[in-house]
Amino acid sequence: MDSVEELRKKLNHPDEAERIYTVHDIMDNNITELLPDLVEKLITDESIAVKDAIVEALKNMDISSIYERLFELFSSPDAYLRNAAVEIFASSSDKEGAVAFLASKLDHSNKEVRKLILDSLVGLGTPSALMAIRASLYDSSKNVQITAVEYLGKLRDKESLPELIELFKKDPEPMLRVSILHALREIKEGFKIKDIIEMVLPEKKVTEENIIFLPELMKLVADLGEKDDIMYLLEIVKYDPVYAYDLIDFLIKICQRFPELKKLEQIHNIYQYIKDDPTVEEGLKTYLSEGCFNGGN
C-alpha cells in the first residue's frame, strides 16, 4: 500500500480515475490521518465523480475527528457541500457522538444551519436525536419549528404528542399548525381523534380562521378515525368549493373503510352538492360516485 504522503499526492493527480482509486484506498484502509485532506478535496475538486467518491468514503469512516470541519460546510454557499455534510453526519458510525456534537450547535445564529442540523439528526434517528429535535419545537424560526414537527412525525415520536398538541393550541402560525396535524397522522396513536377535531374546529364550526386546517384534518379522520369520529366530523363539515377535492378524497376513503356509511344522508347531500357544482371536474364526480355509490346517484 502507498504511504500516507503518496496517497496525499495522488489525491491531486490530474487523472480523475486515479483520484477516485485513491479515495477508495483511503476508505478501504481506514486511513483517518487523511480525513482533513478528503474534506479539502471535497471542497476543491471539480469532478462530481470524485466528490461523490469522497462523500461515500466519509460516510464509511470514523469522522469524529473532523466534526468541526464538516460542520463548517453547513454554512457553505454550495448546496452540494451542504447536502453532503448532512449525509455524512447522518451516516456517522458514532451516532451518539454525532448527536451530542450536533445538539451542541442548535443555538447557531443561522436558522438555515439549524435546519440542516435537524436534517442530520433525523438521519441518525436515535432516542437522543429525537430529544434534540424536540428541543427545536421552540426555535425562534418558524421554518425550523416546522421541520422539527415534520421529523417528529416521520420518526413517529409518541413522546412528543403533548408538546405538539400544546403547540397547536398556543401558536397561531397556520403552516406550523398544518404540519402538526400531518405529524399526528404519521404518529397514528396516543391521542383521541375527537379531541383533535374539537381542538381544530371549536364550537363545531368551520370558519375563515380554521378552514385552512380542514384538508389535513379530513385526512387524519379518514385514515385513523373510528366510525363515531367520522360521523362527528360529518355533522360539522358542509360542502364548500374551496375544499371540494379534499372532501371527495375524504368521502371515498371513509366509504372504503366503512361501507355502511354510504347510506348516510349527510354523504348523499354532500355528493349532490358536488354533482351540481360546475367547477368540479366530471371525472372526479364519477370517481366519487363509483367510490361511494357504486356508480349510482
Side-chain angles (χ1 to χ4, degrees):
M1 187 187 75
D2 293 328
S3 68
V4 169
E5 281 307 315
E6 288 171 332
L7 289 171
R8 184 173 281 129
K9 290 178 182 177
K10 285 186 176 182
L11 276 177
N12 295 297
H13 196 282
D15 183 64
E16 176 187 76
E18 187 65 31
R19 299 200 300 281
I20 292 172
Y21 293 145
T22 303
V23 171
H24 289 164
D25 281 345
I26 294 170
M27 176 182 67
D28 293 342
N29 293 285
N30 196 34
I31 305 174
T32 55
E33 185 178 344
L34 288 174
L35 285 173
D37 299 83
L38 288 179
V39 176
E40 293 311 310
K41 200 62 182 164
L42 176 64
I43 296 169
T44 60
D45 206 287
E46 296 181 357
S47 165
I48 289 296
V50 172
K51 287 177 178 287
D52 287 347
I54 293 171
V55 170
E56 194 60 29
L58 293 175
K59 286 165 64 176
N60 287 279
M61 297 176 71
D62 179 3
I63 57 167
S64 55
S65 63
I66 55 167
Y67 281 161
E68 285 289 352
R69 185 67 184 102
L70 280 173
F71 183 74
E72 291 173 10
L73 300 186
F74 281 179
S75 300
S76 170
D78 185 339
Y80 179 94
L81 293 177
R82 296 195 301 272
N83 292 333
V86 168
E87 280 187 48
I88 294 164
F89 269 114
S91 301
S92 176
S93 57
D94 177 20
K95 289 182 179 290
E96 293 308 318
V99 169
F101 174 83
L102 292 167
S104 73
K105 301 292 187 179
L106 279 172
D107 61 351
H108 196 279
S109 59
N110 188 328
K111 64 183 180 182
E112 297 303 326
V113 169
R114 299 199 301 275
K115 182 185 176 301
L116 292 172
I117 292 172
L118 295 183
D119 294 343
S120 298
L121 289 170
V122 73
L124 289 161
T126 65
S128 55
L130 272 173
M131 291 180 65
I133 295 171
R134 276 182 226 149
S136 293
L137 288 174
Y138 309 99
D139 195 275
S140 59
S141 163
K142 290 300 175 194
N143 190 40
V144 174
Q145 282 185 292
I146 289 169
T147 300
V149 169
E150 290 173 349
Y151 287 159
L152 292 172
K154 180 178 180 179
L155 295 171
R156 297 189 63 182
D157 180 31
K158 288 192 292 184
E159 297 298 319
S160 67
L161 280 172
E163 291 174 275
L164 291 173
I165 292 171
E166 191 64 22
L167 190 59
F168 185 98
K169 292 177 179 177
K170 289 185 174 180
D171 198 311
E173 169 59 38
M175 295 316 298
L176 175 63
R177 301 177 97 195
V178 168
S179 69
I180 290 170
L181 291 176
H182 181 75
L184 295 180
R185 184 154 60 95
E186 292 193 301
I187 294 171
K188 297 183 185 298
E189 56 186 356
F191 54 91
K192 293 181 179 179
I193 297 293
K194 188 175 179 182
D195 290 344
I196 304 303
I197 298 173
E198 291 175 342
M199 179 179 73
V200 178
L201 305 174
E203 301 180 12
K204 298 179 69 171
K205 291 180 181 178
V206 177
T207 66
E208 290 183 8
E209 289 73 27
N210 62 33
I211 193 172
I212 190 174
F213 311 122
L214 198 53
E216 195 61 49
L217 179 65
M218 287 192 288
K219 291 176 184 175
L220 176 69
V221 176
D223 286 351
L224 306 176
E226 296 300 327
K227 190 159 55 173
D228 287 348
D229 301 316
I230 292 168
M231 299 272 291
Y232 183 74
L233 184 59
L234 283 171
E235 290 175 10
I236 304 171
V237 173
K238 310 301 179 186
Y239 179 69
D240 189 322
V242 171
Y243 51 78
Y245 295 162
D246 300 289
L247 194 52
I248 289 170
D249 287 338
F250 172 70
L251 293 177
I252 290 174
K253 184 64 178 282
I254 64 175
C255 286
Q256 288 173 341
R257 290 186 61 210
F258 302 101
E260 62 272 24
L261 294 180
K262 296 176 183 180
K263 299 176 182 179
L264 281 180
E265 183 180 355
Q266 294 102 310
I267 291 182
H268 281 267
N269 289 341
I270 293 172
Y271 170 64
Q272 194 61 49
Y273 277 114
I274 292 172
K275 184 180 177 184
D276 295 340
D277 187 343
T279 67
V280 177
E281 296 175 13
E282 289 300 322
L284 287 173
K285 295 177 183 179
T286 301
Y287 177 53
L288 175 58
S289 175
E290 291 176 349
C292 273
F293 309 109
N294 300 317
N297 295 319

